[in-house]
Amino acid sequence: MPRTTISVDHVARVEGHGNVHVVIEDGVVKDVKMEIVEPARMFESMVKGRSYKEASYISSRICGICSASHVITDLKAVEQAFGIEVSQRTSMVRELLVYGSYLQNHAAHLFVFATPDFINEASIFPLAKSNPDLFAKALELKGLGNRLCTAVGGRSIHPITAVAGGFTHEIDAAEYLAFADEMEAMVPFAQDVVDLFAGFRICDFQTQGDMLALVQPDYYPVQSSDTLRFFGDGVEDFATADAFDHISEYQVDHSGAFFAKRASNGKPYMTAALARINASWDHLGKTAKIASAKAGLRPPALNPMLNNVAQAVELVDALERCARICRELAKGEGSCVPAPVCPKAGVGVGVTEAPRGVVVHKLQFDDRGYVVKASITTPTAQNLANLECDIRLLAGMLAESGTSERIIRAEVEKLIRAYDPCISCSVH
C-alpha cells in the first residue's frame, strides 16, 4: 500500500465531536491522531466557590447520560472530605441510580450506535422495519433505565434526590416490587442481546495497554468500593482516595482533552465494561456469568472490540442485581434519610464506575464547605491514549494483510465506537 491518509473528520454515532487521522506508508502505520475538537467546558471552574450542596448538581451537567454517576461521585468526594458515613440503604438506592444509567447507556450504545456497524446500515432505523420486535425491545430496555433513574433520582437525567449522606425522597415498596418484576421479565431479552453481539464478526487483535477498574471482595462494584486496580503489566491495587497519584494526565497538541497513562509504568490503559468484566468476572450474577461464558467472554479478554459484548453481559447482570436490590428495599429495613453534614476544610475523592468506565472527582473545601478547587477525570479522557494505540495496532494489522483503505476506515470507526466514547465529557 503506497502512502495513504485515512481521515474521518467527524466520527459518527458517538457522543460529541472528534476526528481521527491515520497515515500509512507501504503497509506500515506512521501516525495516528485521535483529535478531540470540543471546546473547554470549564466544569471544574464552575464549582469553585460554590457550596457542597450545589457541587453535585453542577457536576452532573458534564453528561446527560452519565449524570447519575457524576452526582454519586461528587457526593462520595463530599462525604470523604467531611467524614460522613452513609447507611447501607443509601448505598443500595445509589446502586439503583447508577445502574439506571447503565440500562440507559448500554441499550442506546449497543443498538443505536454500535449495531449499524454490523448490519451494514448507516443508522438503526432500517432495523425498525427488518426486525421490529428487536427494535421495540431495545427501546423498552432503554425506557426501563429512564424510568428507574426518574423514580430513584427524581428525573431521568441530572438527578435531584441524591444529596450528601442520603436521599431526599424514596419510592414505596409497591413501586420497588413493580420494578423488580419488570427487570426480571427483561432478562431473557438481555441474554439474547449477549448472543446477538457475540455472533457479530470482529477483528481479532489484543490491546497492549493496561486496564483499570474498581474491585471489591465478593462483589461486582459500581459505586460501593474504595479500591481501584490497575492490571495487565502487573497488578496494582490502591485506595480511591489516591487515584490522582496513580493516574497521570497529560496534554497532546491534537486534543482539547487531556490524555492519561498509568503513573507507575507510563502505559496507556482502558477503563470500560471490558475492564470491569476482566476485574470482577467471578462476581457476576449466575445468569450473567453463564451468558458471558457462552459468548466466549472471560478473563483475560483483551480485544477492545469485545467491549460491546461486555456491555451486553452487564445488562443481564444489572437487571438481575437491581431486581434483587429492589426486593430487598421493599422490605423497608433501614433508612436513607440524609445523614447530618458538618462542613469542614478538607479534601475528598469520589470514584464510581460510570457506564463507560472509572470517573474520579477530587474536591477541596474551605471550613464553610465551599469548593476551593476541583479536579475531574472522565472515562473517555482516560481511554483516549489507549484508543490511539489500539487504532495503530488494528490499522497496522489490516494494512499489513493488504486490506483495502475502505475496510480499514470502517474497522477503525467500529473500534472507536466499541470504546463508546463520550467525547464532550472528555473536555471538561
Side-chain angles (χ1 to χ4, degrees), residues 218-249:
D218 301 321
Y219 200 65
Y220 194 95
V222 295
Q223 62 82 36
S224 57
S225 173
D226 293 322
T227 304
L228 280 162
R229 173 173 294 168
F230 271 123
F231 55 99
D233 184 11
V235 175
E236 180 183 355
D237 287 0
F238 54 96
T240 54
D242 301 326
F244 280 107
D245 295 331
H246 296 262
I247 296 170
S248 178
E249 293 185 302

Side-chain angles (χ1 to χ4, degrees), residues 151-163:
V152 176
R155 51 190 182 191
S156 61
I157 60 172
H158 311 317
I160 55 176
T161 62
V163 297

Side-chain angles (χ1 to χ4, degrees), residues 261-372:
K261 58 188 176 182
R262 180 176 172 179
S264 61
N265 61 12
K267 289 184 65 175
Y269 61 91
M270 181 181 194
T271 180
L274 186 62
R276 293 190 290 266
I277 293 285
N278 274 293
S280 300
W281 191 86
D282 287 340
H283 308 314
L284 287 168
K286 182 179 179 180
T287 306
K289 189 182 291 186
I290 291 172
S292 185
K294 181 182 175 184
L297 178 64
R298 60 189 308 159
L302 302 178
N303 185 338
M305 286 190 168
L306 287 173
N307 193 51
N308 290 324
V309 181
Q311 288 180 319
V313 169
E314 285 194 329
L315 285 175
V316 178
D317 190 65
L319 288 166
E320 289 203 325
R321 194 176 298 272
C322 289
R324 290 195 299 271
I325 292 173
C326 283
R327 295 199 184 282
E328 189 65 28
L329 289 169
K331 296 176 183 178
E333 298 174 0
S335 171
C336 61
V337 172
V341 177
C342 296
K344 61 181 180 180
V347 177
V349 178
V351 178
T352 68
E353 289 277 0
R356 294 170 170 90
V358 168
V359 56
V360 185
H361 289 210
K362 183 177 182 179
L363 300 176
Q364 180 180 346
F365 296 96
D366 63 19
D367 57 6
R368 302 173 303 150
Y370 282 71
V371 178
V372 175

Side-chain angles (χ1 to χ4, degrees), residues 70-131:
H70 283 290
V71 164
I72 302 304
T73 307
D74 225 55
L75 294 177
K76 288 174 73 71
V78 171
E79 290 156 359
Q80 186 185 89
F82 298 164
I84 301 169
E85 294 287 337
V86 302
S87 69
Q88 178 63 26
R89 190 174 185 89
T90 292
S91 184
M92 293 167 70
V93 178
R94 284 180 175 179
E95 199 114 319
L96 289 181
L97 186 57
V98 171
Y99 271 127
S101 70
Y102 274 51
L103 298 178
Q104 289 175 322
N105 179 83
H106 287 359
H109 170 69
L110 291 173
F111 285 101
V112 179
F113 295 164
T115 293
D117 281 327
F118 302 102
I119 61 174
N120 297 315
E121 298 286 357
S123 75
I124 191 60
F125 295 110
L127 187 65
K129 295 182 179 180
S130 63
N131 196 332

Side-chain angles (χ1 to χ4, degrees), residues 11 14 18-20 22 32-36 205 207-210 250 259-260 268-271 304-305 379-395 411-423:
V11 180
V14 298
N19 313 321
V20 62
V22 182
V32 173
K33 289 182 179 177
M34 186 69 205
E35 298 178 345
I36 306 304
F205 80 108
T207 185
Q208 299 301 301
D210 290 340
Y250 61 97
F259 279 34
Y269 61 91
M270 181 181 194
T271 180
M305 286 190 168
T380 296
Q382 295 173 73
N383 277 329
L384 289 170
N386 205 63
L387 175 55
E388 272 196 352
C389 291
D390 283 348
I391 292 171
R392 182 181 292 272
L393 284 171
L394 176 62
E411 292 299 322
V412 165
E413 287 195 66
K414 189 184 296 184
L415 171 62
I416 294 170
R417 281 187 283 270
Y419 265 82
D420 189 14
C422 191
I423 294 174

